[in-house]
Each structure stands twice: as structure tokens, then as C-alpha cells.
């Protein structure tokens, strides 16, 4: 099928830290700063594991945006972890 949607693998901050054998604080700081792709789901944050691995391997995250769109959105906006 040409129009298949790829569903990203999303995990909690704690699970992401366990997968990569990293401190939870490190992953939480990357989410809070907007360096990695994450979404809020209720009281938890879900991290896109594939994008996190890409971030760790290259320190940059490729996007599917055109160059003009990428220039406008050069950084993912930070997520407020405190309520």
C-alpha cells in the first residue's frame, strides 16, 4: 500500500532511558529542552524512540520538511515539564 502510515514507537521517559541505558534525568532534560521529539499523554511524556536514537547517533534530527519549512522550524519547541 502506498499510503501506509508509519506509527512511531513511543515510550515513556523512564522506559526510553532503560532502552538506551541512560540516566532518566538525561532523557528528561532532552525532552524539556525540546532536543528530542516527545508528546504529553496525560501526566506522562512519550518519547519517539526512533528519533531519540537518531539524535544520539547524529546529534541532529532529520525532518520531512522542505528547506524553507525547516528554516522556520529550526528547533522543536520546549515542553514544560512542570505544571
Amino acid at each position: 500500500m502506498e499510503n501506509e502510515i508509519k506509527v512511531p514507537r513511543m515510550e515513556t521517559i523512564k522506559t526510553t532511558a532503560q532502552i538506551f541505558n541512560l540516566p532518566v534525568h538525561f532523557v528528561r532534560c532532552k525532552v524539556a529542552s525540546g532536543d528530542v521529539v516527545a508528546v504529553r499523554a496525560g501526566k506522562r511524556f512519550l518519547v519517539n524512540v526512533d528519533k531519540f536514537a537518531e539524535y544520539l547517533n547524529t546529534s541532529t534530527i532529520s525532518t520531512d520538511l522542505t528547506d524553507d519549512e525547516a528554516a522556520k522550524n529550526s528547533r522543536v519547541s520546549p515542553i514544560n515539564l512542570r505544571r
Side-chain angles (χ1 to χ4, degrees):
M1 295 182 170
E2 292 178 24
N3 294 332
E4 251 183 69
I5 297 173
K6 182 181 177 198
V7 179
R9 178 177 174 201
M10 305 295 283
E11 296 290 348
T12 62
I13 290 174
K14 183 178 179 181
T15 304
T16 302
Q18 290 172 345
I19 290 169
F20 294 99
N21 198 24
L22 294 168
V24 173
H25 178 73
F26 175 80
V27 179
R28 185 170 287 126
C29 286
K30 292 301 173 186
V31 169
S33 68
D35 289 339
V36 297
V37 178
V39 294
R40 187 176 193 105
K43 292 183 177 181
R44 297 179 180 201
F45 286 90
L46 298 177
V47 179
N48 184 320
V49 176
D50 298 328
K51 292 290 185 181
F52 189 77
E54 185 178 338
Y55 172 81
L56 292 176
N57 287 325
T58 63
S59 296
T60 60
I61 299 176
S62 66
T63 62
D64 296 334
L65 303 175
T66 64
D67 289 340
D68 293 335
E69 291 172 328
K72 290 178 187 174
N73 302 317
S74 62
R75 185 176 171 154
V76 177
S77 59
I79 298 173
N80 186 3
L81 295 177
R82 300 176 195 257
R83 291 190 115 187

